[in-house]
Amino acid sequence: MNTVIDFVSDKRILIALFLLMVALNLSLSFFMPKDHALDLKFAYTFSEAYQSLAEMDSDTRKFYRFGIWALDFPYMIVYSLFFAGILCRLWGSRALVVVPFLIAIFDFFENLMVLRILKLFPEPNRLITLIASGFTTLKWLAVAIMFIIIILGIWKYYFSEKFSTSSSSS
């Protein structure tokens, strides 16, 4: 695992991962119905989920499934590696790199549940929908935590540079 983290912490690899992440994100926006994708909602209820799915036509739901299989699964690998590299560079610690992989785990199980819901649709399944919502909510909470850690890391980096520069010039 350390070798992978060292590899993705390299600036060139981070740039490549960032470009790949942007390309996958743009591709996902084509396949994921922005207003109705369960992946993009936070703490949705059973009725909100089924209302969103009902507002999609059959072809849109097929595109959505394809987007999850072909793009979202690879996307979670790319963003996990990218953010693990960023966290490692910002903090110099390998302990925090677990956060992006935790997000990917929540995303993975969310995707499995959403795929099951789409397969069963229009047959309602409250339990699977609530489990999917739980994983989606956990994913977005973990994303928020990760961005707070990144912002704090940027803050720490900026001020440690500023203090070390001002103290060395005195």
Side-chain angles (χ1 to χ4, degrees), residues 38-45 48 103 106-107 109-110 129-145:
L38 300 180
D39 310 62
L40 304 177
K41 297 183 181 299
F42 182 81
Y44 52 86
T45 64
E48 290 170 334
I103 293 167
F106 294 147
D107 199 2
F109 286 110
E110 166 204 53
T129 305
L130 294 177
I131 292 170
S133 177
F135 280 120
T136 304
T137 302
L138 288 171
K139 174 186 77 175
W140 288 118
L141 289 172
V143 167
I145 290 167

Side-chain angles (χ1 to χ4, degrees), residues 58-126:
S58 178
D59 287 339
T60 303
R61 284 192 300 274
K62 285 179 188 172
F63 260 32
Y64 185 17
R65 287 185 76 195
F66 175 80
I68 291 172
W69 279 114
L71 299 169
D72 204 20
F73 281 117
Y75 180 60
M76 69 179 84
I77 294 167
V78 172
Y79 74 66
S80 296
L81 293 173
F82 173 75
F83 285 112
I86 292 291
L87 288 170
C88 187
R89 283 187 72 86
L90 284 173
W91 288 97
S93 166
R94 288 177 174 33
L96 292 173
V97 301
V98 73
V99 176
F101 294 106
L102 185 62
I103 293 167
I105 290 168
F106 294 147
D107 199 2
F108 176 78
F109 286 110
E110 166 204 53
N111 285 346
L112 291 179
M113 297 296 111
V114 170
L115 286 167
R116 187 70 182 148
I117 292 166
L118 287 166
K119 183 175 182 165
L120 294 173
F121 190 83
E123 187 69 35
N125 189 310
R126 280 189 190 278

Side-chain angles (χ1 to χ4, degrees), residues 5-22:
I5 300 305
D6 290 337
F7 178 73
V8 298
S9 296
D10 180 81
K11 282 183 185 178
R12 294 173 305 222
I13 301 303
L14 281 172
I15 291 168
L17 285 170
F18 177 76
L19 294 173
L20 188 54
M21 193 171 71
V22 168

